[in-house]
DNA sequence: ACACCGATTATCT
DNA sequence: GATAATCGGTGTA
């Protein structure tokens, strides 16, 4: 079932990050369909979050995408070489976003391997925010796009029990001071992943 | 298993 | 000119 844009258009970005675990991310590039189940996310809570690019209301050419209405896509280049994929949430003018950090590949495994250069084992194909964008064919071309059924979209198919969704601190944001300790990272438990084939 | 470190460049100060 | 929401290779154990 296609996730409606209204799913992203409320103020609780942490809850959206939690609910995205178990949904699937889809791309269509030149007629080639790729998809994976979202198994790891992080919430970035706009102007009050020191880890967010929009902390303090900062609005630049890069971060202006974050101020779009929920359901748009924020892609940026990290460390000069990795494209990171986020979903903008909340109403227009409120720069909340959810970073997608890892997927379990489901559709287009062969093309994912080709995009990765056949370096990675199956379980590692979409593990990590830089790796999943490469495997899925996501680039700056997708920045500020709206999630639509023909290019880039999300679906909700299966519910996982709440106790299989684990919360913890976010990765790689030591510069954020005490905000680095907030439990804004969500991950599907290893047990749920192991039972995926049921 | 874990620590260390170089790659590479748009963005911001 | 410094920084960065990362990654994979290399080294040691």
């Amino acid at each position: 079932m296609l996730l409606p844009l209204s799913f992203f258009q409320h103020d609780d970005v942490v809850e959206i990050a939690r609910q995205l675990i178990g949904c699937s991310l889809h791309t269509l590039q030149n007629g080639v369909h790729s998809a994976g189940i979202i198994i790891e996310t992080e919430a970035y809570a706009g102007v009050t979050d020191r880890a967010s690019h929009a902390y303090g209301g900062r609005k630049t050419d890069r971060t202006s995408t974050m101020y779009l209405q929920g359901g748009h896509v924020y892609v940026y280049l990290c460390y000069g070489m990795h494209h990171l994929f986020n979903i903008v949430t909340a109403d227009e003018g409120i720069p909340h976003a959810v970073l997608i950090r890892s997927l379990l590949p489901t559709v287009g495994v062969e093309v994912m391997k080709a995009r990765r250069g056949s370096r990675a084992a199956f379980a590692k194909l979409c593990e990590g925010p830089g790796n999943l964008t490469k495997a899925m064919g996501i680039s700056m071309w997708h920045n500020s796009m709206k999630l639509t059924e023909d290019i880039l979209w999300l679906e909700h198919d299966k519910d996982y029990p709440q106790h299989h969704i684990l919360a913890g601190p976010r990765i790689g944001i030591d510069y954020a001071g005490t905000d680095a300790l907030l439990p804004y990272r969500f991950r599907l438990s290893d047990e749920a992943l192991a039972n995926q084939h049921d």
Side-chain angles (χ1 to χ4, degrees):
Chain A
M1 176 183 91
L2 184 72
L3 266 189
L5 292 181
S6 59
F7 177 88
F8 305 103
Q9 294 168 352
H10 68 82
D11 207 47
D12 192 345
V13 64
V14 176
E15 183 58 22
I16 293 172
R18 184 201 317 274
Q19 291 177 352
L20 282 175
I21 300 295
C23 296
S24 54
L25 173 65
H26 298 252
T27 59
L28 197 56
Q29 295 272 284
N30 304 318
V32 179
H33 181 201
S34 308
I37 298 168
I38 297 171
I39 59 172
E40 188 177 1
T41 63
E42 282 176 359
Y44 285 84
V47 300
T48 62
D49 180 357
R50 287 153 85 186
S52 170
H53 293 161
Y55 174 61
R58 192 153 47 121
K59 193 171 187 179
T60 64
D61 284 347
R62 177 175 70 158
T63 64
S64 61
T65 302
M66 299 182 78
Y67 291 80
L68 296 174
Q69 187 181 40
H72 286 81
V73 167
Y74 173 46
V75 182
Y76 74 96
L77 187 65
C78 183
Y79 290 99
M81 61 187 91
H82 305 292
H83 297 286
L84 269 56
F85 171 75
N86 300 256
I87 301 168
V88 175
T89 69
D91 292 325
E92 185 176 357
I94 300 175
H96 290 176
V98 176
L99 172 68
I100 308 299
R101 291 191 58 89
S102 291
L103 308 175
L104 181 67
T106 53
V107 178
V109 172
E110 288 309 312
V111 73
M112 287 182 186
K113 283 182 182 168
R115 291 186 183 121
R116 288 292 308 276
S118 319
R119 281 184 292 277
F122 172 81
K124 300 282 185 187
L125 271 179
C126 296
E127 182 76 28
N131 288 333
L132 82 87
T133 55
K134 190 165 187 181
M136 293 286 286
I138 294 171
S139 69
M140 288 306 294
W141 183 76
H142 296 91
N143 185 45
S144 79
M145 176 179 287
K146 191 179 273 194
L147 291 169
T148 58
E149 208 165 347
D150 52 340
I151 297 177
L152 187 56
W153 71 97
L154 275 86
E155 294 185 15
H156 176 84
D157 2 63
K158 177 175 175 177
D159 277 312
Y160 290 85
Q162 282 296 304
H163 71 273
H164 280 310
I165 300 176
L166 312 176
R170 294 170 292 181
I171 306 292
I173 52 157
D174 293 344
Y175 57 87
T178 53
D179 287 350
L181 305 174
L182 295 169
Y184 283 5
R185 172 173 175 253
F186 298 97
R187 171 99 191 175
L188 193 62
S189 72
D190 289 341
E191 186 189 348
L193 273 176
N195 297 333
Q196 183 58 33
H197 45 74
D198 293 353

Coordinates of all heavy atoms in Angstrom, one line a residue, chain A residues 110-180:
Chain A
E110 N 20.1 -7.7 -8.2 CA 21.2 -7.7 -9.2 C 21.7 -6.3 -9.6 O 22.9 -6.0 -9.7 CB 20.8 -8.5 -10.4 CG 20.7 -10.0 -10.2 CD 22.0 -10.6 -9.5 OE1 23.1 -10.3 -10.0 OE2 21.8 -11.3 -8.5
V111 N 20.7 -5.4 -9.9 CA 21.1 -4.1 -10.3 C 21.8 -3.3 -9.1 O 22.7 -2.5 -9.3 CB 19.9 -3.3 -10.8 CG1 18.9 -2.9 -9.8 CG2 20.4 -2.0 -11.6
M112 N 21.3 -3.6 -7.9 CA 22.0 -3.1 -6.7 C 23.5 -3.5 -6.7 O 24.4 -2.7 -6.4 CB 21.3 -3.5 -5.4 CG 20.0 -2.9 -5.2 SD 19.3 -3.5 -3.6 CE 17.7 -2.7 -3.6
K113 N 23.7 -4.8 -6.9 CA 25.1 -5.3 -6.9 C 25.9 -4.5 -8.0 O 27.1 -4.2 -7.7 CB 25.1 -6.8 -7.1 CG 24.8 -7.6 -5.9 CD 24.9 -9.1 -6.3 CE 24.5 -10.0 -5.1 NZ 24.3 -11.4 -5.5
A114 N 25.3 -4.4 -9.1 CA 26.0 -3.7 -10.2 C 26.3 -2.2 -9.9 O 27.4 -1.8 -10.1 CB 25.1 -3.7 -11.5
R115 N 25.4 -1.5 -9.2 CA 25.6 -0.2 -8.8 C 26.7 -0.1 -7.7 O 27.4 0.9 -7.7 CB 24.3 0.5 -8.3 CG 23.2 0.7 -9.4 CD 22.1 1.5 -8.7 NE 21.0 1.7 -9.6 CZ 19.7 1.2 -9.4 NH1 19.5 0.6 -8.3 NH2 18.8 1.5 -10.3
R116 N 26.8 -1.1 -6.9 CA 27.8 -1.1 -5.8 C 29.1 -1.6 -6.3 O 30.1 -1.6 -5.6 CB 27.3 -2.0 -4.7 CG 26.2 -1.5 -3.8 CD 26.6 -0.2 -3.0 NE 27.8 -0.5 -2.2 CZ 27.9 -1.0 -1.0 NH1 26.8 -1.4 -0.5 NH2 29.0 -1.2 -0.4
G117 N 29.2 -2.1 -7.6 CA 30.4 -2.6 -8.1 C 30.8 -4.0 -7.6 O 31.9 -4.4 -7.5
S118 N 29.7 -4.8 -7.2 CA 29.8 -6.2 -6.8 C 30.8 -6.3 -5.6 O 31.3 -7.4 -5.4 CB 30.3 -7.1 -7.9 OG 29.7 -6.8 -9.1
R119 N 31.0 -5.3 -4.9 CA 31.9 -5.4 -3.7 C 31.2 -6.0 -2.5 O 31.9 -6.5 -1.6 CB 32.5 -4.0 -3.4 CG 33.6 -3.6 -4.3 CD 34.2 -2.3 -3.9 NE 33.3 -1.2 -4.0 CZ 33.1 -0.5 -5.2 NH1 33.7 -0.9 -6.3 NH2 32.2 0.5 -5.2
A120 N 29.9 -5.8 -2.4 CA 29.2 -6.1 -1.1 C 28.5 -7.4 -1.1 O 27.9 -7.7 -2.1 CB 28.3 -4.9 -0.8
A121 N 28.4 -8.0 0.0 CA 27.6 -9.2 0.2 C 26.1 -8.7 0.3 O 25.9 -7.5 0.6 CB 28.0 -9.9 1.5
F122 N 25.2 -9.6 0.2 CA 23.8 -9.3 0.1 C 23.3 -8.4 1.3 O 22.8 -7.3 1.2 CB 22.9 -10.5 0.1 CG 21.4 -10.3 0.3 CD1 20.7 -9.9 -0.8 CD2 20.8 -10.5 1.5 CE1 19.3 -9.6 -0.7 CE2 19.5 -10.2 1.6 CZ 18.7 -9.8 0.5
A123 N 23.7 -8.9 2.5 CA 23.2 -8.1 3.7 C 23.8 -6.8 3.9 O 23.3 -5.9 4.6 CB 23.5 -9.0 5.0
K124 N 25.0 -6.5 3.1 CA 25.6 -5.2 3.2 C 25.3 -4.3 2.1 O 25.7 -3.1 2.1 CB 27.2 -5.4 3.3 CG 27.7 -6.3 4.4 CD 27.7 -5.5 5.7 CE 28.3 -6.3 6.8 NZ 28.2 -5.5 8.1
L125 N 24.5 -4.8 1.1 CA 24.2 -4.0 -0.1 C 23.7 -2.6 0.3 O 24.1 -1.6 -0.3 CB 23.2 -4.7 -1.0 CG 23.8 -5.7 -2.0 CD1 22.6 -6.4 -2.7 CD2 24.7 -5.0 -3.0
C126 N 22.7 -2.5 1.2 CA 22.0 -1.3 1.5 C 22.2 -1.0 3.0 O 21.4 -0.4 3.7 CB 20.5 -1.4 1.2 SG 20.2 -1.6 -0.5
E127 N 23.3 -1.4 3.6 CA 23.7 -1.1 5.0 C 24.5 0.1 5.1 O 25.6 0.2 4.6 CB 24.4 -2.3 5.6 CG 24.8 -2.3 7.0 CD 23.6 -2.5 8.0 OE1 22.7 -3.2 7.6 OE2 23.6 -1.9 9.1
G128 N 23.9 1.2 5.7 CA 24.6 2.5 5.8 C 24.0 3.5 4.8 O 23.6 3.1 3.7
P129 N 23.9 4.7 5.3 CA 23.2 5.7 4.5 C 23.8 6.0 3.1 O 23.1 6.4 2.2 CB 23.2 7.0 5.4 CG 24.3 6.7 6.4 CD 24.3 5.3 6.6
G130 N 25.2 6.0 3.1 CA 25.9 6.2 1.8 C 25.7 5.0 0.9 O 25.6 5.2 -0.3
N131 N 25.8 3.8 1.5 CA 25.7 2.6 0.7 C 24.3 2.4 0.0 O 24.2 2.0 -1.1 CB 26.0 1.4 1.5 CG 27.5 1.3 1.8 OD1 28.3 1.8 1.0 ND2 27.8 0.7 2.9
L132 N 23.2 2.7 0.8 CA 21.9 2.5 0.3 C 21.6 3.4 -0.9 O 20.9 3.0 -1.8 CB 20.8 2.5 1.4 CG 20.3 3.9 1.9 CD1 19.1 4.3 1.0 CD2 19.8 3.7 3.3
T133 N 22.0 4.7 -0.8 CA 21.7 5.6 -2.0 C 22.4 5.1 -3.2 O 21.9 5.1 -4.3 CB 22.1 7.0 -1.7 OG1 23.5 7.1 -1.3 CG2 21.3 7.6 -0.5
K134 N 23.6 4.6 -3.0 CA 24.4 4.1 -4.2 C 23.7 2.9 -4.8 O 23.5 2.8 -6.0 CB 25.8 3.7 -3.8 CG 26.7 3.4 -4.9 CD 28.2 3.4 -4.5 CE 29.1 3.3 -5.8 NZ 30.5 3.3 -5.4
A135 N 23.3 1.9 -3.9 CA 22.6 0.7 -4.4 C 21.3 1.0 -5.0 O 20.9 0.4 -6.0 CB 22.4 -0.3 -3.2
M136 N 20.6 2.0 -4.5 CA 19.2 2.3 -5.0 C 19.2 3.3 -6.2 O 18.2 3.6 -6.8 CB 18.4 3.0 -3.9 CG 18.0 2.0 -2.8 SD 16.8 0.8 -3.2 CE 15.3 1.8 -3.2
G137 N 20.4 3.8 -6.5 CA 20.5 4.8 -7.6 C 20.0 6.2 -7.3 O 19.6 6.9 -8.2
I138 N 20.1 6.5 -6.0 CA 19.6 7.9 -5.5 C 20.8 8.8 -5.6 O 21.9 8.5 -5.1 CB 19.0 7.8 -4.1 CG1 17.8 6.9 -4.1 CG2 18.7 9.2 -3.6 CD1 17.2 6.6 -2.7
S139 N 20.5 10.0 -6.2 CA 21.6 11.0 -6.3 C 21.0 12.4 -6.1 O 19.8 12.6 -5.8 CB 22.2 11.0 -7.7 OG 21.3 11.4 -8.6
M140 N 21.8 13.5 -6.2 CA 21.3 14.8 -6.1 C 20.2 15.2 -7.0 O 19.4 16.1 -6.8 CB 22.5 15.8 -6.3 CG 23.5 15.9 -5.2 SD 22.8 16.1 -3.6 CE 22.2 17.8 -3.8
W141 N 20.1 14.4 -8.1 CA 19.0 14.6 -9.0 C 17.6 14.5 -8.3 O 16.6 15.1 -8.7 CB 19.1 13.6 -10.2 CG 18.0 13.7 -11.2 CD1 18.0 14.7 -12.2 CD2 16.8 12.9 -11.4 NE1 16.9 14.5 -13.0 CE2 16.2 13.4 -12.5 CE3 16.3 11.8 -10.7 CZ2 15.0 12.9 -13.0 CZ3 15.1 11.3 -11.1 CH2 14.5 11.8 -12.3
H142 N 17.5 13.7 -7.3 CA 16.3 13.5 -6.5 C 16.0 14.6 -5.5 O 14.9 14.6 -4.9 CB 16.3 12.1 -5.8 CG 16.4 10.9 -6.8 ND1 17.6 10.4 -7.2 CD2 15.4 10.2 -7.4 CE1 17.3 9.4 -8.0 NE2 16.0 9.3 -8.1
N143 N 17.0 15.4 -5.2 CA 16.8 16.4 -4.2 C 15.6 17.3 -4.5 O 15.4 17.8 -5.6 CB 18.1 17.3 -4.0 CG 17.9 18.2 -2.9 OD1 17.5 17.9 -1.8 ND2 18.3 19.5 -3.1
S144 N 14.8 17.6 -3.4 CA 13.6 18.4 -3.5 C 12.5 17.8 -4.3 O 11.4 18.5 -4.5 CB 14.0 19.8 -4.0 OG 14.0 19.9 -5.4
M145 N 12.6 16.6 -4.7 CA 11.5 15.9 -5.4 C 10.4 15.5 -4.4 O 10.7 15.3 -3.2 CB 12.1 14.7 -6.1 CG 11.1 13.8 -6.7 SD 12.0 12.4 -7.5 CE 12.8 13.2 -8.9
K146 N 9.2 15.4 -4.8 CA 8.1 14.9 -4.0 C 8.0 13.4 -4.2 O 8.3 12.9 -5.3 CB 6.8 15.6 -4.3 CG 5.7 15.3 -3.3 CD 4.4 16.0 -3.7 CE 4.3 17.4 -3.2 NZ 2.9 18.0 -3.3
L147 N 7.7 12.7 -3.1 CA 7.6 11.2 -3.2 C 6.4 10.9 -4.1 O 5.3 11.3 -3.7 CB 7.4 10.6 -1.8 CG 8.6 10.7 -0.9 CD1 8.2 10.3 0.5 CD2 9.7 9.8 -1.4
T148 N 6.6 10.3 -5.2 CA 5.5 10.0 -6.1 C 5.6 8.5 -6.5 O 6.7 7.9 -6.4 CB 5.6 10.9 -7.4 OG1 6.9 10.7 -8.0 CG2 5.4 12.3 -7.0
E149 N 4.5 8.0 -7.1 CA 4.4 6.6 -7.4 C 5.3 6.2 -8.6 O 5.5 5.0 -8.8 CB 2.9 6.3 -7.7 CG 2.6 4.9 -7.3 CD 1.1 4.7 -7.3 OE1 0.3 5.7 -7.3 OE2 0.6 3.6 -7.3
D150 N 5.8 7.1 -9.4 CA 6.5 6.8 -10.6 C 8.0 6.8 -10.5 O 8.7 6.2 -11.4 CB 6.0 7.6 -11.8 CG 6.1 9.1 -11.4 OD1 6.2 9.4 -10.2 OD2 6.1 9.9 -12.3
I151 N 8.6 7.5 -9.5 CA 10.0 7.6 -9.5 C 10.6 7.1 -8.2 O 11.5 6.3 -8.1 CB 10.5 9.1 -9.8 CG1 10.0 9.5 -11.2 CG2 12.0 9.2 -9.6 CD1 10.3 10.9 -11.5
L152 N 10.1 7.7 -7.1 CA 10.6 7.4 -5.8 C 9.5 7.5 -4.8 O 8.7 8.5 -4.7 CB 11.6 8.6 -5.5 CG 12.5 8.6 -4.3 CD1 13.3 7.3 -4.2 CD2 13.4 9.8 -4.3
W153 N 9.2 6.4 -4.1 CA 8.0 6.3 -3.2 C 8.2 5.3 -2.1 O 9.2 4.5 -2.1 CB 6.8 6.0 -4.0 CG 6.7 4.6 -4.5 CD1 6.0 3.6 -4.0 CD2 7.3 4.0 -5.7 NE1 6.1 2.4 -4.7 CE2 6.9 2.7 -5.8 CE3 8.1 4.6 -6.7 CZ2 7.3 1.8 -6.9 CZ3 8.5 3.7 -7.8 CH2 8.1 2.4 -7.8
L154 N 7.3 5.4 -1.1 CA 7.3 4.5 0.0 C 6.0 3.7 0.1 O 5.0 4.2 -0.3 CB 7.5 5.2 1.3 CG 8.9 5.5 1.7 CD1 9.4 6.8 1.0 CD2 9.1 5.6 3.2
E155 N 6.1 2.4 0.5 CA 5.0 1.6 0.7 C 5.0 1.0 2.1 O 6.0 0.9 2.7 CB 4.9 0.5 -0.3 CG 4.7 0.9 -1.7 CD 4.6 -0.2 -2.7 OE1 4.4 -1.3 -2.3 OE2 4.7 0.1 -3.9
H156 N 3.8 0.7 2.6 CA 3.6 0.1 3.9 C 3.0 -1.3 3.7 O 1.9 -1.3 3.1 CB 2.8 0.9 4.9 CG 2.5 0.2 6.2 ND1 3.4 0.3 7.2 CD2 1.5 -0.5 6.6 CE1 2.9 -0.4 8.2 NE2 1.7 -0.9 7.9
D157 N 3.7 -2.4 4.0 CA 3.1 -3.7 3.7 C 2.9 -4.6 4.9 O 1.9 -5.2 5.1 CB 4.0 -4.4 2.7 CG 5.2 -3.7 2.2 OD1 6.0 -3.4 3.1 OD2 5.3 -3.3 1.1
K158 N 3.9 -4.5 5.8 CA 3.9 -5.5 6.9 C 4.2 -4.7 8.3 O 5.0 -3.8 8.3 CB 5.1 -6.5 6.7 CG 5.3 -7.5 7.7 CD 6.4 -8.5 7.3 CE 6.7 -9.4 8.4 NZ 7.7 -10.5 7.9
D159 N 3.5 -5.1 9.3 CA 3.7 -4.5 10.6 C 4.6 -5.4 11.4 O 4.5 -6.6 11.5 CB 2.3 -4.4 11.4 CG 1.6 -3.2 11.0 OD1 2.2 -2.1 10.9 OD2 0.4 -3.2 10.7
Y160 N 5.6 -4.8 12.1 CA 6.5 -5.5 13.0 C 6.1 -5.1 14.4 O 5.7 -4.0 14.7 CB 7.9 -5.1 12.8 CG 8.5 -5.6 11.5 CD1 8.3 -4.9 10.3 CD2 9.2 -6.8 11.4 CE1 8.8 -5.4 9.1 CE2 9.7 -7.2 10.2 CZ 9.5 -6.5 9.1 OH 10.0 -7.0 7.9
P161 N 6.2 -6.1 15.4 CA 5.8 -5.8 16.8 C 6.7 -4.7 17.3 O 7.9 -4.6 17.0 CB 6.0 -7.1 17.5 CG 6.5 -8.1 16.5 CD 6.5 -7.5 15.2
Q162 N 6.1 -3.8 18.2 CA 6.9 -2.7 18.7 C 8.2 -3.1 19.4 O 9.2 -2.4 19.3 CB 6.0 -1.9 19.7 CG 5.0 -1.0 19.0 CD 5.6 0.1 18.2 OE1 6.4 0.9 18.8 NE2 5.3 0.2 16.9
H163 N 8.2 -4.3 20.1 CA 9.4 -4.7 20.8 C 10.5 -5.0 19.9 O 11.6 -5.3 20.4 CB 9.0 -5.8 21.8 CG 8.8 -7.1 21.2 ND1 7.5 -7.5 20.8 CD2 9.6 -8.1 20.9 CE1 7.6 -8.7 20.2 NE2 8.8 -9.1 20.3
H164 N 10.3 -5.1 18.6 CA 11.4 -5.4 17.6 C 11.9 -4.1 17.0 O 12.8 -4.1 16.2 CB 10.9 -6.3 16.5 CG 10.9 -7.7 16.9 ND1 11.9 -8.4 17.5 CD2 9.9 -8.7 16.8 CE1 11.6 -9.6 17.7 NE2 10.4 -9.8 17.3
I165 N 11.4 -2.9 17.5 CA 11.9 -1.7 17.0 C 12.7 -1.0 18.2 O 12.1 -0.6 19.2 CB 10.8 -0.7 16.5 CG1 10.0 -1.4 15.4 CG2 11.3 0.6 16.1 CD1 8.8 -0.7 14.8
L166 N 14.0 -1.0 18.0 CA 14.9 -0.5 19.1 C 15.3 0.9 18.9 O 15.6 1.3 17.7 CB 16.2 -1.4 19.1 CG 15.9 -2.9 19.1 CD1 17.2 -3.7 19.0 CD2 15.1 -3.3 20.3
A167 N 15.4 1.7 20.0 CA 15.8 3.1 19.9 C 17.2 3.3 20.5 O 17.5 2.6 21.4 CB 14.8 4.0 20.6
G168 N 17.9 4.3 20.0 CA 19.3 4.6 20.5 C 19.7 5.9 20.0 O 19.0 6.6 19.3
P169 N 20.9 6.3 20.4 CA 21.5 7.6 20.0 C 21.9 7.5 18.5 O 22.2 6.5 18.0 CB 22.7 7.8 20.9 CG 23.1 6.4 21.4 CD 21.8 5.6 21.4
R170 N 22.0 8.7 17.9 CA 22.3 8.8 16.5 C 23.8 8.7 16.3 O 24.6 8.8 17.2 CB 21.8 10.1 15.9 CG 20.2 10.2 15.9 CD 19.7 11.6 15.6 NE 20.0 12.5 16.7 CZ 19.6 13.8 16.6 NH1 19.0 14.3 15.6 NH2 19.9 14.6 17.6
I171 N 24.1 8.4 15.0 CA 25.5 8.1 14.7 C 26.2 9.3 14.0 O 25.6 10.0 13.2 CB 25.6 6.9 13.6 CG1 24.8 5.7 14.1 CG2 27.0 6.6 13.2 CD1 25.4 5.0 15.3
G172 N 27.5 9.5 14.4 CA 28.3 10.5 13.7 C 28.0 11.9 13.9 O 28.2 12.8 13.0
I173 N 27.4 12.3 15.0 CA 27.0 13.7 15.3 C 27.6 14.2 16.6 O 26.9 14.9 17.3 CB 25.5 13.8 15.3 CG1 24.8 12.8 16.3 CG2 24.9 13.6 13.9 CD1 23.5 13.2 16.8
D174 N 28.8 13.9 16.9 CA 29.5 14.3 18.1 C 29.5 15.8 18.3 O 29.5 16.3 19.5 CB 30.9 13.8 18.1 CG 31.0 12.2 18.2 OD1 30.0 11.6 18.5 OD2 32.1 11.7 17.9
Y175 N 29.4 16.5 17.2 CA 29.4 18.0 17.3 C 28.1 18.5 17.9 O 28.1 19.7 18.2 CB 29.6 18.6 15.9 CG 28.5 18.1 14.9 CD1 27.3 18.8 14.8 CD2 28.7 17.0 14.1 CE1 26.4 18.3 13.9 CE2 27.8 16.5 13.2 CZ 26.6 17.2 13.2 OH 25.6 16.8 12.3
A176 N 27.1 17.7 18.1 CA 25.8 18.1 18.6 C 25.7 18.3 20.1 O 24.6 18.5 20.6 CB 24.7 17.2 18.0
G177 N 26.7 18.1 20.8 CA 26.7 18.2 22.3 C 25.7 17.2 22.9 O 25.7 16.0 22.5
T178 N 24.9 17.7 23.8 CA 24.0 16.8 24.5 C 22.9 16.2 23.6 O 22.3 15.2 23.9 CB 23.3 17.5 25.7 OG1 22.7 18.7 25.2 CG2 24.3 17.8 26.8
D179 N 22.6 16.9 22.5 CA 21.6 16.4 21.6 C 22.1 15.1 20.9 O 21.3 14.3 20.4 CB 21.3 17.4 20.5 CG 20.5 18.6 21.0 OD1 20.0 18.5 22.2 OD2 20.3 19.6 20.3
A180 N 23.4 14.8 21.0 CA 23.9 13.5 20.4 C 23.4 12.3 21.2 O 23.5 11.2 20.8 CB 25.4 13.5 20.4

